[in-house]
Amino acid sequence: MILSKRRLAHIVFASNDRASKTFDLVLLWLIFGSIIVAILDSVGHLHDKYGDVFFVLELAFTFLFTLEYILRVWLTSKTWKYVISFYGIVDLLAILPVYLSFFVVNSHLLSVIRALRLLRVIRILKLGRYLVEAEFLSESLKASAAKIQIFLFSVLTLVLIMGTLMFVVEGPENGFTSIPVGMYWAIVTLTTVGFGDITPNTPVGQLLASLIMLMGYAIIAVPTGIVSSEMAKRRNTEDHYKTHRSCTHCGFDNLESGDSFCRKCGEPVNSRG
Amino acid sequence: MILSKRRLAHIVFASNDRASKTFDLVLLWLIFGSIIVAILDSVGHLHDKYGDVFFVLELAFTFLFTLEYILRVWLTSKTWKYVISFYGIVDLLAILPVYLSFFVVNSHLLSVIRALRLLRVIRILKLGRYLVEAEFLSESLKASAAKIQIFLFSVLTLVLIMGTLMFVVEGPENGFTSIPVGMYWAIVTLTTVGFGDITPNTPVGQLLASLIMLMGYAIIAVPTGIVSSEMAKRRNTEDHYKTHRSCTHCGFDNLESGDSFCRKCGEPVNSRG
Amino acid sequence: MILSKRRLAHIVFASNDRASKTFDLVLLWLIFGSIIVAILDSVGHLHDKYGDVFFVLELAFTFLFTLEYILRVWLTSKTWKYVISFYGIVDLLAILPVYLSFFVVNSHLLSVIRALRLLRVIRILKLGRYLVEAEFLSESLKASAAKIQIFLFSVLTLVLIMGTLMFVVEGPENGFTSIPVGMYWAIVTLTTVGFGDITPNTPVGQLLASLIMLMGYAIIAVPTGIVSSEMAKRRNTEDHYKTHRSCTHCGFDNLESGDSFCRKCGEPVNSRG
Amino acid sequence: MILSKRRLAHIVFASNDRASKTFDLVLLWLIFGSIIVAILDSVGHLHDKYGDVFFVLELAFTFLFTLEYILRVWLTSKTWKYVISFYGIVDLLAILPVYLSFFVVNSHLLSVIRALRLLRVIRILKLGRYLVEAEFLSESLKASAAKIQIFLFSVLTLVLIMGTLMFVVEGPENGFTSIPVGMYWAIVTLTTVGFGDITPNTPVGQLLASLIMLMGYAIIAVPTGIVSSEMAKRRNTEDHYKTHRSCTHCGFDNLESGDSFCRKCGEPVNSRG
């Protein structure tokens, strides 16, 4: 049973018949399995016990993902476009660290590469191919991107000034050892995360911290407002297209419920068109 | 005074006359009483003092809830459907652990079962039967469920990658002992809970943590936006159907509740058109 | 210069001429001064230094507020209604603890009363009389009250079950000493406060905690959605009254921009009425 | 090549030809460079190594910003108006602390001034000149300012009463050493930051804390609601003015951008009506 290149390409890239659906399903399970092995291998006492099993499994996964990468590069008509595409880079990053750990002998570099091997969890992004409903969310975020950028810039300005003030007021003896640490603390506080690893101890510092927290409380409303109003608008547009009628004369499909004449051709509209 | 089976079923399942309302009220107080006993019994010094009283009370509550369960199974016309329904399972789980603790002799298993007995607080869910106004909330959540699922998947992807990165950057010496612990930390941070039991100590780790927090701050807006716009739409639809009527003369269908004359043709409107 | 009772009542209750406005202003400063003294007196090293000054000032404030209370009781035409009204009770609570500390000799009770004296900060609520713009907020909250109640009940159910589960899973050795403590932890976590005084240490506990946090992240959207949609509706109603025109024939003031005939009297509407 | 005063003023204040754009770009890089030097200089081990380099760089930056300040004062036609404007004060504050540290001899004062020198990070506010898109955000916040003020006043009342209650209930032995500290804790808790440096240890204190947290959870919705509804309204108004036109024949003023015929009278619509 020898497959033609065209048939193989169909199995790999499409998902509308039994063979291509099976390919997708197998890939899905491979991704999940590979990630679970990576996660379990990072747990100390499991690594001590089953480290060898995990290593063999990881080699197998890497071999299969390499096969997939080669297939995709070979089968696609636009090889270069795939290689530099988002999923092309993800597919490469998912196998590269494992191979690097074989070819590097320097022991210090090796430990860095070993750490990088953990980044094969990036394979989760391969799942993005199977998400189609996510567009609503990403479009809402994209449409709000400009406003969110300005918002983040304002937040960072506040963080810089507040982090510096806290460094001046509290000083290294209370954990604020430098402006970057002060800025880290300001972000922790302004986002209401509040780890508590660094906390103000002087009355003036606590007053300043209270101000930052109340500000954070007030401005947390801003990104929510941006996304909410964006989504509400998007939904209205959707509803608009769902409920509107078409003109029986010219087919214009954007009539509203109160229209007596078609907005496009000027012909009278039937009451229940 | 012997009750017919039909009368008994009415008392148990309906709540429109004195007897059935009394049944509901007694059950309500039994549920509250049982939960309060379970809570108090868990407090060390109260258990030492009143442990025996709590044990007797618990036996009494369990006996009464068993009686209720038997009644419901016997009286309903669709026994099997009730047993596998949500409230059927809750009613069973509310009594099962107590009985299991009698029949198990193995001492290790017994301590597990004793712990499970605490789960009788699940009886609180029996109260769900008396909530009718909760529908608005649960429907809004249900309608947004698909979007919230995609949102949670995106959050988990972020959590996996960030948890792995922090494990690589900070390592076991700063408390990030494995990828699962790193993911736990990422969830604690992204949701802005911020316990502070594990915190980044290296500059690179603090920079990464700052990025996660600002991301959390920006994407906290997304579920709020989803539910807000869903609720706003639901409310608009409700208002529309509550207040709008049609003109009997020209059919204009956008009359409001206070209109005496049609806004389009000027004819008088019937008070209940 | 002897004031009539009517004139005095006008000064105390109204605020539309010079004398009554001065009375309000003096009262405002007395409230702020009294609260600042109470706050400063609670700081250890300030109490050691200026304790006597604070005590004399507090006696003066109490005397003046007593005078105000007696005036209000004497001058109002509906004495009993004032005494049991919200502000009547606040006015009484603002002076009572100070007097109680004089008449109580029992030393143990005395220390309790001394603590209660701090509650004179409740005087801040007297300021409520001067807030008129707050109605928008309180009405929005009141209109959403039923939904917020159901929401809080759902949250408490979740808190009860999660608190019990964490008590069973983590146990007293990890700080979860009883179900109430577990519930306290669940509230701290679900509201994303996250003190970090009690944290899960077992893998199962951390998994459960992650679930609670993601739930908290998802359901934080619900109260926001409720209040947002309530406010949006309220604002629309306001806008409605601002932008609409009146009928030139009957004066009906709720015409919308597209109406050709008055909805109340049926007369034709001028295009720019 | 001598520049006229008018040409120089154009370069400094405008940004529409090559010279003035270059001036803006150089200034932008100077601001970023100066802030990065200030941040790096605050890190202990970098200060020890490169302290001298940072000092020389800082002198150079200060000299250039002084030149800029003198140019702006000299070139503007309304000198006084510029000096007391927001950016005039920011420009002055950005250079003043460095000069003060030269002219002060008193060693104690000097250390204070040295700390103030760090406040040159305020130069980041100079960037505000180049933000034009930020108006949408600041207008939304301004329009909601009155409501946010009342909201903050309500929050502060709650903070005062809760802080006092916690001071009375928990007392200094649990970290609540005074009312101001109690209020600081109440703000940390109500804003869901939750550092965990001060936590309630008594059952009554934990119950009170739970109440505050649930309140914070419920009222966090209020500022979000205010800003969301404000933004939604602003967007609607914008959309309306962008897209709607009037019919030149019958005056119907609700035409949308794509309409070729009036929806009310059926007459053709002019392309730019």
Side-chain angles (χ1 to χ4, degrees):
Chain A
M1 190 187 103
I2 294 164
L3 293 161
S4 69
K5 188 180 168 185
R6 165 174 291 192
R7 176 82 187 114
L8 213 57
H10 182 264
I11 290 174
V12 171
F13 293 110
S15 58
N16 52 9
D17 61 2
R18 217 182 136 196
S20 57
K21 272 182 186 162
T22 308
F23 179 85
D24 281 359
L25 210 67
V26 168
L27 199 61
L28 216 74
W29 282 107
L30 283 180
I31 294 169
F32 276 120
S34 149
I35 288 167
I36 284 163
V37 166
I39 290 177
L40 293 180
D41 195 28
S42 77
V43 181
H45 64 97
L46 291 177
H47 178 78
D48 294 344
K49 257 197 192 159
Y50 309 107
D52 297 341
V53 183
F54 292 149
F55 185 67
V56 172
L57 277 171
E58 183 48 32
L59 285 189
F61 283 127
T62 305
F63 174 72
L64 291 169
F65 286 127
T66 309
L67 214 68
E68 184 214 351
Y69 186 68
I70 291 168
L71 269 179
R72 283 187 194 272
V73 168
W74 177 53
L75 292 171
T76 186
S77 50
K78 306 155 194 162
T79 303
W80 194 240
K81 208 183 156 194
Y82 164 70
V83 169
I84 60 164
S85 74
F86 176 72
Y87 288 118
I89 292 167
V90 166
D91 287 345
L92 187 62
L93 284 179
I95 51 173
L96 212 62
V98 180
Y99 288 113
L100 280 179
S101 65
F102 291 128
F103 297 126
V104 173
V105 193
N106 178 307
S107 67
H108 180 67
L109 245 174
L110 193 62
S111 71
V112 172
I113 297 290
R114 269 211 187 117
L116 284 179
R117 266 180 58 191
L118 286 165
L119 297 183
R120 64 187 184 266
V121 297
I122 211 174
R123 283 167 193 161
I124 189 96
L125 292 178
K126 282 162 163 268
L127 292 180
R129 281 198 185 95
Y130 304 104
L131 285 174
V132 285
E133 299 93 341
E135 268 173 46
F136 179 87
L137 281 183
S138 66
E139 267 175 38
S140 279
L141 280 179
K142 237 179 258 169
S144 314
K147 275 170 204 161
I148 286 180
Q149 265 174 30
I150 294 168
F151 174 71
L152 279 183
F153 176 79
S154 319
V155 165
L156 284 177
T157 304
L158 197 63
V159 159
L160 175 63
I161 292 173
M162 282 300 182
T164 306
L165 273 177
M166 291 303 284
F167 171 60
V168 170
V169 168
E170 291 276 328
E173 62 274 19
N174 291 314
F176 294 81
T177 51
S178 65
I179 291 184
V181 169
M183 289 172 71
Y184 163 71
W185 175 86
I187 291 176
V188 168
T189 305
L190 200 66
T191 56
T192 78
V193 172
F195 283 134
D197 50 349
I198 308 165
T199 50
N201 289 318
T202 64
V204 181
Q206 292 183 339
L207 191 69
L208 265 174
S210 300
L211 278 178
I212 298 180
M213 285 179 259
L214 288 175
M215 272 176 181
Y217 205 57
I219 63 177
I220 205 170
V222 175
T224 310
I226 293 170
V227 178
S228 283
S229 66
E230 183 62 35
M231 280 189 173
K233 193 198 162 190
R234 207 157 281 271
R235 176 187 291 284
N236 284 342
T237 317
E238 265 178 29
D239 290 356
H240 187 85
Y241 283 104
K242 266 187 206 150
T243 57
H244 287 201
R245 298 170 300 149
S246 300
C247 172
T248 50
H249 191 81
C250 71
F252 180 68
D253 60 353
N254 211 3
L255 298 178
E256 288 185 12
S257 53
D259 297 0
S260 303
F261 295 90
C262 175
R263 283 187 268 167
K264 201 160 183 190
C265 65
E267 291 290 318
V269 175
N270 295 335
S271 60
R272 287 279 139 217
Chain B
M1 190 186 101
I2 294 163
L3 294 161
S4 70
K5 189 178 168 185
R6 166 175 289 194
R7 175 84 186 113
L8 213 58
H10 183 264
I11 290 175
V12 171
F13 292 110
S15 58
N16 51 8
D17 61 3
R18 218 182 135 194
S20 57
K21 272 183 186 163
T22 308
F23 179 85
D24 281 359
L25 210 69
V26 168
L27 198 62
L28 216 75
W29 282 107
L30 283 179
I31 294 169
F32 275 121
S34 149
I35 288 168
I36 285 163
V37 165
I39 290 178
L40 293 180
D41 194 28
S42 78
V43 181
H45 64 98
L46 291 177
H47 178 79
D48 294 345
K49 256 195 192 161
Y50 310 106
D52 297 341
V53 182
F54 292 149
F55 185 67
V56 172
L57 277 171
E58 184 48 34
L59 285 188
F61 283 127
T62 305
F63 175 72
L64 291 168
F65 286 126
T66 309
L67 214 69
E68 185 214 350
Y69 186 68
I70 291 169
L71 270 178
R72 282 187 194 272
V73 168
W74 177 51
L75 292 171
T76 185
S77 49
K78 306 154 192 162
T79 302
W80 193 241
K81 208 184 155 194
Y82 164 69
V83 168
I84 61 165
S85 75
F86 176 71
Y87 288 119
I89 291 166
V90 165
D91 286 345
L92 187 62
L93 284 179
I95 50 174
L96 212 61
V98 180
Y99 289 113
L100 280 178
S101 66
F102 291 128
F103 297 126
V104 173
V105 193
N106 178 309
S107 67
H108 180 67
L109 245 175
L110 193 61
S111 72
V112 172
I113 297 291
R114 268 210 187 119
L116 284 180
R117 265 180 57 191
L118 286 166
L119 297 184
R120 64 186 184 266
V121 297
I122 211 175
R123 284 167 192 162
I124 190 98
L125 293 178
K126 283 163 163 268
L127 291 180
R129 281 198 184 95
Y130 305 105
L131 287 174
V132 284
E133 298 92 342
E135 269 172 46
F136 179 86
L137 282 183
S138 65
E139 267 174 38
S140 280
L141 280 178
K142 237 179 259 170
S144 315
K147 274 169 203 162
I148 286 180
Q149 265 175 30
I150 293 169
F151 174 71
L152 279 183
F153 176 79
S154 319
V155 166
L156 284 177
T157 304
L158 196 64
V159 160
L160 174 64
I161 292 172
M162 281 300 181
T164 306
L165 273 177
M166 290 303 284
F167 171 59
V168 170
V169 167
E170 290 276 328
E173 63 275 18
N174 290 314
F176 293 81
T177 50
S178 66
I179 291 184
V181 168
M183 290 171 71
Y184 162 72
W185 175 86
I187 291 176
V188 168
T189 305
L190 200 66
T191 56
T192 78
V193 171
F195 283 134
D197 49 349
I198 308 165
T199 51
N201 289 317
T202 64
V204 181
Q206 292 182 339
L207 191 69
L208 266 175
S210 300
L211 279 178
I212 297 180
M213 285 179 260
L214 288 175
M215 272 176 181
Y217 204 57
I219 63 177
I220 206 171
V222 174
T224 309
I226 293 170
V227 177
S228 284
S229 66
E230 183 62 36
M231 280 190 172
K233 191 198 163 192
R234 206 158 281 269
R235 176 188 292 282
N236 284 341
T237 316
E238 264 178 29
D239 290 355
H240 188 84
Y241 283 105
K242 265 189 207 150
T243 57
H244 283 209
R245 292 171 302 154
S246 300
C247 173
T248 50
H249 190 81
C250 71
F252 180 69
D253 61 353
N254 213 2
L255 297 178
E256 290 185 10
S257 53
D259 298 1
S260 304
F261 294 90
C262 175
R263 282 187 270 165
K264 202 157 184 192
C265 66
E267 291 290 319
V269 175
N270 295 335
S271 61
R272 286 278 139 221
Chain C
M1 190 187 102
I2 293 164
L3 294 160
S4 69
K5 190 179 168 185
R6 165 174 290 193
R7 177 80 187 115
L8 214 57
H10 183 263
I11 290 175
V12 172
F13 292 110
S15 58
N16 51 8
D17 60 3
R18 219 183 135 194
S20 55
K21 272 183 186 162
T22 308
F23 179 85
D24 282 359
L25 210 67
V26 168
L27 199 59
L28 217 75
W29 281 107
L30 283 180
I31 294 169
F32 275 120
S34 150
I35 288 167
I36 285 164
V37 165
I39 290 177
L40 293 180
D41 194 29
S42 77
V43 181
H45 64 98
L46 291 178
H47 178 78
D48 294 346
K49 256 195 193 163
Y50 310 106
D52 297 340
V53 183
F54 292 149
F55 185 67
V56 171
L57 277 171
E58 184 48 34
L59 285 188
F61 284 127
T62 306
F63 174 73
L64 291 169
F65 286 127
T66 309
L67 214 69
E68 184 214 351
Y69 186 68
I70 291 170
L71 270 178
R72 281 185 194 275
V73 168
W74 177 52
L75 292 171
T76 186
S77 49
K78 305 155 193 161
T79 302
W80 192 241
K81 209 184 154 194
Y82 164 69
V83 170
I84 60 164
S85 74
F86 176 71
Y87 288 119
I89 291 167
V90 165
D91 286 344
L92 188 61
L93 284 179
I95 50 172
L96 212 61
V98 180
Y99 288 113
L100 280 177
S101 66
F102 291 129
F103 297 125
V104 174
V105 192
N106 178 307
S107 67
H108 180 67
L109 245 175
L110 193 61
S111 71
V112 172
I113 297 289
R114 268 209 188 119
L116 285 180
R117 266 181 58 191
L118 287 166
L119 297 183
R120 64 185 185 267
V121 297
I122 211 177
R123 284 167 191 162
I124 190 96
L125 293 178
K126 282 162 162 268
L127 292 180
R129 281 197 184 95
Y130 305 104
L131 288 174
V132 284
E133 299 92 342
E135 269 172 44
F136 180 87
L137 282 183
S138 65
E139 267 175 38
S140 280
L141 280 179
K142 237 180 258 169
S144 314
K147 275 170 201 160
I148 286 180
Q149 265 175 29
I150 294 169
F151 174 71
L152 279 183
F153 177 79
S154 320
V155 165
L156 284 177
T157 304
L158 196 63
V159 160
L160 175 64
I161 291 173
M162 281 300 180
T164 306
L165 273 177
M166 292 302 284
F167 171 59
V168 169
V169 167
E170 290 277 328
E173 63 273 19
N174 291 315
F176 293 81
T177 50
S178 64
I179 292 183
V181 168
M183 289 171 71
Y184 163 71
W185 176 88
I187 290 176
V188 167
T189 305
L190 200 66
T191 56
T192 77
V193 171
F195 283 133
D197 50 348
I198 308 165
T199 50
N201 289 318
T202 65
V204 182
Q206 292 182 338
L207 192 69
L208 265 174
S210 300
L211 279 178
I212 297 181
M213 285 179 260
L214 288 175
M215 273 177 181
Y217 205 56
I219 65 178
I220 205 170
V222 175
T224 309
I226 293 171
V227 177
S228 282
S229 65
E230 182 62 36
M231 281 189 172
K233 192 199 165 190
R234 207 158 280 271
R235 177 187 292 282
N236 284 341
T237 315
E238 265 177 29
D239 290 354
H240 188 82
Y241 284 105
K242 267 187 208 150
T243 57
H244 287 201
R245 298 170 300 150
S246 300
C247 173
T248 49
H249 191 81
C250 72
F252 180 69
D253 61 352
N254 210 2
L255 297 178
E256 289 186 9
S257 54
D259 298 1
S260 305
F261 295 90
C262 175
R263 284 187 268 166
K264 204 162 183 187
C265 65
E267 291 289 319
V269 175
N270 295 335
S271 60
R272 286 281 139 217
Chain D
M1 190 187 104
I2 295 163
L3 293 162
S4 70
K5 190 179 167 184
R6 165 174 290 193
R7 176 82 188 115
L8 213 58
H10 182 265
I11 291 175
V12 171
F13 293 111
S15 57
N16 51 9
D17 60 3
R18 218 181 136 196
S20 56
K21 273 183 186 163
T22 308
F23 179 85
D24 282 359
L25 210 68
V26 167
L27 199 60
L28 216 75
W29 282 107
L30 283 180
I31 294 169
F32 276 121
S34 150
I35 288 168
I36 285 163
V37 165
I39 290 177
L40 293 180
D41 194 28
S42 77
V43 181
H45 65 97
L46 290 177
H47 178 79
D48 294 345
K49 256 194 192 162
Y50 309 107
D52 297 340
V53 183
F54 292 149
F55 185 67
V56 171
L57 277 172
E58 183 49 33
L59 285 188
F61 284 127
T62 305
F63 174 73
L64 292 169
F65 286 126
T66 309
L67 215 68
E68 185 214 350
Y69 186 68
I70 291 169
L71 269 179
R72 282 186 193 272
V73 168
W74 176 53
L75 292 171
T76 185
S77 49
K78 306 154 194 163
T79 304
W80 193 241
K81 209 184 154 194
Y82 163 69
V83 169
I84 60 165
S85 76
F86 176 73
Y87 288 119
I89 292 166
V90 165
D91 286 345
L92 187 62
L93 284 180
I95 50 173
L96 212 63
V98 180
Y99 289 113
L100 280 178
S101 66
F102 291 129
F103 297 125
V104 174
V105 193
N106 178 308
S107 66
H108 181 67
L109 246 175
L110 193 62
S111 70
V112 172
I113 298 289
R114 268 210 188 118
L116 284 178
R117 266 180 56 192
L118 287 166
L119 297 183
R120 63 185 185 265
V121 296
I122 211 175
R123 283 166 192 161
I124 189 96
L125 293 178
K126 283 162 163 267
L127 292 179
R129 280 197 185 95
Y130 305 104
L131 286 174
V132 284
E133 299 93 341
E135 268 173 46
F136 180 87
L137 281 184
S138 66
E139 267 175 38
S140 280
L141 280 179
K142 238 179 257 170
S144 314
K147 275 169 203 163
I148 286 180
Q149 266 175 29
I150 294 168
F151 174 71
L152 279 183
F153 177 80
S154 319
V155 166
L156 284 178
T157 304
L158 197 63
V159 159
L160 174 64
I161 292 173
M162 282 299 181
T164 306
L165 273 176
M166 292 302 284
F167 171 58
V168 169
V169 167
E170 291 276 329
E173 63 274 19
N174 291 315
F176 293 82
T177 50
S178 65
I179 291 184
V181 169
M183 289 171 71
Y184 163 71
W185 176 86
I187 290 177
V188 168
T189 305
L190 200 67
T191 55
T192 77
V193 171
F195 283 134
D197 50 348
I198 308 165
T199 50
N201 289 317
T202 64
V204 181
Q206 292 182 340
L207 191 68
L208 265 174
S210 300
L211 279 177
I212 297 180
M213 285 179 260
L214 288 175
M215 272 177 182
Y217 205 57
I219 64 177
I220 205 170
V222 174
T224 310
I226 293 171
V227 178
S228 283
S229 65
E230 183 62 36
M231 280 189 173
K233 192 200 164 189
R234 207 158 281 270
R235 176 188 292 282
N236 284 340
T237 316
E238 266 177 28
D239 290 355
H240 188 83
Y241 282 105
K242 266 187 208 147
T243 56
H244 283 208
R245 293 172 301 156
S246 299
C247 173
T248 49
H249 190 83
C250 72
F252 181 68
D253 60 353
N254 213 2
L255 297 177
E256 290 184 10
S257 54
D259 297 3
S260 304
F261 293 90
C262 175
R263 284 187 269 165
K264 205 160 183 188
C265 65
E267 291 290 319
V269 174
N270 295 335
S271 60
R272 285 280 137 219

